[in-house]
Amino acid sequence: MPSYTFTLNGKRVTVEAPADMPLLWVLRDLLHVTGPKYGCGVGACRACTSHLDGDEIQPCVVPVADCADREVTTIEGLADGDRLHPVQRAWLDCDVAQCGFCQPGQIMATAALLKKTPRPTDADIDRIENVCRCGTYSRIREAIKKAAANG
């Protein structure tokens, strides 16, 4: 079985896995990282959204082989130690979560958006395609705007 080494939330890890195994299953089953959620398995719901070299990805459709010698960040690695990322802080301040299932993916998608577009317009925010089963989109939008203002 091949092995792959990459940086996960700031720490080098090595896993043995088939080359085509989705990163999501490597994270959840082999490395016990539970922030990225399994929703659809085809990259549509985006509950698993994480970052690869700082860019948004859906690890349910990214093979682990594509991550070798790269940097993977999940919701667990977004904060700076005990200091929450501005998006995480805004999420709490705006009381966004209801069931919470989609929130790690929503937060990671927002962090990626704000990295590329620090002052997003409503049209920019509308391009986030993460699905929220509870429909908290108005609070999500409020939190994104708050995080951008406090960034």
Side-chain angles (χ1 to χ4, degrees), residues 80-101:
D80 183 11
D82 290 338
R83 185 170 174 250
L84 292 178
H85 186 278
V87 175
Q88 292 171 307
R89 180 81 262 146
W91 240 248
L92 291 173
D93 291 347
C94 295
D95 196 25
V96 172
Q98 272 190 348
C99 83
F101 187 83

Side-chain angles (χ1 to χ4, degrees), residues 43-59 61-62 70 73 105-116 127-130:
C45 76
R46 300 179 178 279
C48 62
T49 301
S50 300
H51 298 169
L52 182 62
D53 294 336
D55 293 323
E56 177 183 340
I57 60 159
Q58 282 64 58
V61 294
V62 174
R70 298 179 73 186
T73 306
Q106 296 276 4
I107 289 169
M108 295 302 286
T110 298
L113 168 68
L114 294 180
K115 182 179 176 189
K116 290 182 178 180
R127 282 192 278 284
I128 293 176
E129 297 178 342
N130 295 58

Side-chain angles (χ1 to χ4, degrees), residues 5-107:
T5 300
F6 56 93
T7 302
L8 173 62
N9 299 327
K11 296 180 181 161
R12 295 288 286 170
V13 297
T14 300
V15 295
E16 289 186 7
D20 62 348
M21 181 180 230
L23 176 61
L24 180 61
W25 300 125
V26 170
L27 293 171
R28 292 185 62 83
D29 293 346
L30 302 181
L31 298 172
H32 310 291
V33 174
T34 58
K37 304 299 185 225
Y38 174 76
C40 66
V42 296
C45 76
R46 300 179 178 279
C48 62
T49 301
S50 300
H51 298 169
L52 182 62
D53 294 336
D55 293 323
E56 177 183 340
I57 60 159
Q58 282 64 58
C60 67
V61 294
V62 174
V64 67
D66 289 358
C67 302
D69 299 317
R70 298 179 73 186
E71 187 170 328
V72 175
T73 306
T74 67
I75 189 74
E76 289 87 350
L78 193 59
D80 183 11
D82 290 338
R83 185 170 174 250
L84 292 178
H85 186 278
V87 175
Q88 292 171 307
R89 180 81 262 146
W91 240 248
L92 291 173
D93 291 347
C94 295
D95 196 25
V96 172
Q98 272 190 348
C99 83
F101 187 83
C102 71
Q103 298 310 301
Q106 296 276 4
I107 289 169

Side-chain angles (χ1 to χ4, degrees), residues 120-141:
T121 64
D122 283 337
D124 295 324
I125 294 170
D126 288 344
R127 282 192 278 284
I128 293 176
E129 297 178 342
N130 295 58
V131 175
C132 175
R133 297 171 180 187
C134 300
T136 64
Y137 296 109
S138 61
R139 290 195 307 241
I140 290 168
R141 181 177 302 277

